Amino acid sequence: MMPDPGVHTYVNMLFNFDNTYAQQLEGFYSSCQTATVPSPKLIKLNTKLASELNLNLDDVSVNDQINIFSGNQLPQGAAPLAQVYAGHQFGGFSPQLGDGRALLLGEVVDKNSSRFDVQLKGSGRTLYSRGGDGKAGVGPVLREYILSEAMHALGIPTTRALAAVATGEKIMRDTPVPGAILTRVAASHIRIGTFQYFAARGETEKVRQLADYAIARHYPELKESNNPYLSLLEAVCDAQALLVSKWMLIGFVHGVMNTDNMTISGETIDYGPCAFMDSYNPAAVYSSIDKQGRYAFQNQPPIAQWNLTRLAESLLAVIDTDQERAVELVTKNLNEFPEKYSTYWLQGMCCKLGIKSTQQNDLDLVNDLLAEMHEYHVDYTSLFRDLADVLTGDNKAAHKHFSNTMKFEQWLDRWRDRLASSELTITASIELMNQVNPIYIPRNHKVEEALEAAISVSDYSKFEMLVDVLNRPYLQQFGKGEYEQPAPKEFGEYKTFCGT
Ligand code: AMP
Ligand code: MG
């Protein structure tokens, strides 16, 4: 079945589109139309992001805005297209994936001169939909909205959510569910899988063209380097080492780190079965389809390296015509990943403990705390926040996490000794800790509660409130205590499902 061509009229200038992907990368996508939907309703518009992106909201009626964010009308200047890519999914290679339920409307340049993709997710079938319907349910759409905006507020590179619209149609999943469309904003949607698609087909010139485009868009300073393609690999390795360290520091499990879900820009993308940990558990897995725990919390750094190795393979032919030499070059690069990652992670962990300049034996201090937290199933987010109170002389909240506090007390003594020799005053340490240890994360039970109300009775008030609280994760908010707590016991073991 071909995508529904729909009936579209261009409406006035909501976006100042400037579409480089469509113009420069012919052969890397297929042009495509959105499907029309029966009765779209705006669930949420991210007005702050709209303003950063220079959207002309004042000049476009609310009705036209809803029509645009639902795909019923195309905004002026849009060049809608589905990008093609491949990818390793749970270790197995799929030579053709691509945007099956997403459509790039175009690119905009924001107030800081940064370029962003504007994409509709759930807007109907494309050439790459395979057996799927190209649609999205309101659950996965609002989940991505909540999670991606929370990650942004937490200071973690991520795609953003600009709008969520209910389409007014029911789509078939296990049962019929209300359909919705997310407008997603990303530095770009170029994935490791985009390179893999062309490399697997032996299209070396296309790999080069894509690499040139990625360099110009994300790492323009590399253009002049000796071997720009090797430098590109190095830059992506660095961006991903930093990104994954931030996931590990905040307790985030992505859940489906396939190579088609890993960006060249270093942004978190594709919020499907992801979740935040409550109690600290290195083996935490939430995705119902990740039976082997391939994408468990502690596996994220090595999986990132595995994925980057797939990127390196895809770039070999453009890195050096002598393939042995190319392999040698990328191997050196890839081997540096664990060290790069560990350095970022340890620096981040030290900040969580109020230490600014990391020393080598800080690793033991950190690991010993984590081991204790694991043993006593300590809530990851609140313990770190409560540690700052210990420095003001109030042990109570921190102690409550441990049924046996003797070993924890010994650890606290070591930590206090370490802080005494650090260059920061206690006040400065507390300040540093409170800047990096959030009070509010998207607690799984709160996310589910918000989605349930939206799915079952189209009540978006819990979703609204949750998004609002998560907008300021590091600041104590009056009357919002319920958002700080981990899930109650009755919530049980948390299982997530892929976001279709
Ligand atoms: P994901 O697991 O979300 O990364 O998606 C993997 C691939 O499946 C991508 O190529 C998606 O575009 C495609 N896909 C997922 N859901 C649908 C759907 N409902 N209709 C068409 N394609 C889909
Ligand atoms: Mg994906």
Side-chain angles (χ1 to χ4, degrees):
M1 198 176 83
M2 279 306 290
D4 171 5
V7 182
H8 301 288
T9 46
Y10 282 75
V11 299
N12 33 20
M13 297 289 286
L14 181 58
F15 301 93
N16 293 306
F17 280 124
D18 175 31
N19 305 327
T20 60
Y21 201 93
Q23 283 155 17
Q24 297 171 23
L25 291 179
E26 212 173 302
F28 292 73
Y29 60 84
S30 65
S31 295
C32 205
Q33 295 291 313
T34 51
T36 44
V37 301
S39 54
K41 290 205 170 54
L42 189 65
I43 300 174
K44 185 141 183 86
L45 175 61
N46 188 340
T47 48
K48 197 160 160 241
L49 177 59
S51 152
E52 284 165 30
L53 294 174
N54 288 318
L55 260 62
N56 308 316
L57 286 180
D58 294 343
D59 299 339
V60 179
S61 71
V62 173
N63 203 33
D64 280 352
Q65 290 174 25
I66 295 172
N67 279 328
I68 289 169
F69 292 123
S70 66
N72 275 0
Q73 284 182 320
L74 284 174
Q76 227 174 72
L81 60 88
Q83 295 181 339
V84 68
Y85 50 85
H88 276 88
Q89 301 179 300
F90 290 91
F93 186 59
S94 302
Q96 183 170 319
L97 295 167
D99 292 332
R101 58 158 167 201
L103 209 63
L104 178 66
L105 283 180
E107 297 151 38
V108 293
V109 176
D110 80 350
K111 294 204 157 125
N112 302 317
S113 307
S114 302
R115 177 175 297 276
F116 290 94
D117 279 5
V118 179
Q119 191 198 58
L120 296 183
K121 200 168 167 186
S123 56
R125 288 177 54 77
T126 75
L127 268 188
Y128 313 120
S129 297
R130 296 170 290 159
D133 59 3
K135 310 261 170 160
V138 73
V141 163
L142 297 190
R143 208 178 141 71
E144 176 154 349
Y145 197 116
I146 296 166
L147 269 293
S148 63
E149 285 303 299
M151 290 284 269
H152 174 73
L154 288 163
I156 299 173
T158 176
T159 62
R160 304 283 308 272
L162 177 62
V165 169
T167 59
E169 69 182 354
K170 292 271 187 209
I171 60 171
M172 264 322 281
R173 292 299 180 257
D174 287 342
T175 56
V177 296
I181 294 175
L182 179 78
T183 305
R184 174 161 83 177
V185 172
S188 86
H189 287 84
I190 306 171
R191 305 145 192 268
I192 290 181
T194 322
F195 283 92
Q196 287 182 287
Y197 178 82
F198 297 100
R201 295 159 61 103
E203 299 191 65
T204 305
E205 277 320 301
K206 287 238 167 88
V207 172
R208 192 189 313 277
Q209 202 185 340
L210 183 63
D212 286 338
Y213 179 86
I215 289 170
R217 184 153 173 184
H218 297 296
Y219 306 101
E221 67 284 1
L222 304 183
K223 199 167 169 234
E224 307 306 327
S225 80
N226 275 345
N227 187 333
Y229 308 120
L230 183 64
S231 301
L232 173 65
L233 175 67
E234 192 175 353
V236 179
C237 286
D238 193 63
Q240 286 292 340
L242 182 64
L243 178 67
V244 175
S245 76
K246 285 177 184 272
W247 291 356
M248 301 302 284
L249 291 164
I250 214 81
F252 176 77
V253 185
H254 182 281
V256 60
M257 283 178 75
N258 294 335
T259 56
D260 53 303
N261 291 338
M262 218 163 138
T263 58
I264 297 305
S265 67
E267 285 185 337
T268 313
I269 194 170
D270 280 4
Y271 291 83
C274 60
F276 278 74
M277 278 196 297
D278 278 351
S279 60
Y280 179 69
N281 175 16
V285 177
Y286 300 98
S287 171
S288 54
I289 59 167
D290 191 3
K291 302 270 190 261
Q292 314 285 323
R294 179 181 171 89
Y295 299 137
F297 180 69
Q298 67 191 351
N299 289 352
Q300 297 185 117
I303 283 291
Q305 188 183 9
W306 191 91
N307 289 349
L308 290 161
T309 308
R310 308 287 82 77
L311 175 64
E313 286 165 0
S314 306
L315 290 170
L316 282 178
V318 296
I319 284 176
D320 204 303
T321 44
D322 174 351
Q323 287 304 277
E324 255 175 57
R325 170 86 184 125
V327 169
E328 216 174 277
L329 290 169
V330 302
T331 304
K332 180 175 174 298
N333 225 295
L334 293 165
N335 286 345
E336 286 166 2
F337 181 85
E339 179 69 29
K340 246 182 204 172
Y341 161 78
S342 301
T343 304
Y344 284 131
W345 179 79
L346 186 58
Q347 276 167 355
M349 270 293 167
C350 282
C351 289
K352 287 172 87 69
L353 295 176
I355 301 162
K356 203 160 177 204
S357 317
T358 310
Q359 292 170 5
Q360 201 40 50
N361 50 4
D362 290 334
L363 185 60
D364 290 339
L365 187 72
V366 169
N367 280 339
D368 291 348
L369 175 65
L370 291 175
E372 283 288 287
M373 290 171 71
H374 188 199
E375 183 177 347
Y376 290 98
H377 309 288
V378 170
D379 184 67
Y380 184 76
T381 303
S382 29
L383 188 268
F384 277 103
R385 192 73 187 196
D386 292 340
L387 280 178
D389 290 343
V390 173
L391 297 184
T392 63
D394 182 1
N395 279 356
K396 271 204 294 311
H399 267 184
K400 265 205 296 207
H401 295 283
F402 297 88
S403 49
N404 175 350
T405 55
M406 218 172 69
K407 263 170 83 191
F408 179 55
E409 264 304 323
Q410 286 167 358
W411 182 88
L412 285 178
D413 284 341
R414 283 167 60 201
W415 177 45
R416 286 194 197 94
D417 284 350
R418 174 64 182 90
L419 285 177
S421 72
S422 114
E423 75 273 49
L424 294 184
T425 62
I426 289 300
T427 313
S429 284
I430 293 173
E431 204 173 299
L432 175 63
M433 292 172 76
N434 288 343
Q435 278 166 11
V436 296
N437 295 321
I439 304 172
Y440 308 101
I441 54 161
R443 294 285 184 181
N444 301 321
H445 63 300
K446 284 297 191 191
V447 172
E448 291 304 320
E449 186 184 276
L451 300 188
E452 176 54 29
I455 296 166
S456 59
V457 289
S458 307
D459 172 1
Y460 306 115
S461 57
K462 289 192 160 73
F463 160 77
E464 276 284 345
M465 182 63 88
L466 184 58
V467 169
D468 185 61
V469 170
L470 294 173
N471 207 8
R472 296 172 302 283
Y474 298 103
L475 291 178
Q476 190 77 52
Q477 297 171 47
F478 182 72
K480 299 294 187 291
E482 65 184 286
Y483 294 90
E484 292 178 34
Q485 304 303 322
K489 282 235 155 46
E490 316 82 85
F491 185 67
E493 199 191 328
Y494 190 44
K495 277 278 160 253
T496 56
F497 301 88
C498 257
T500 58

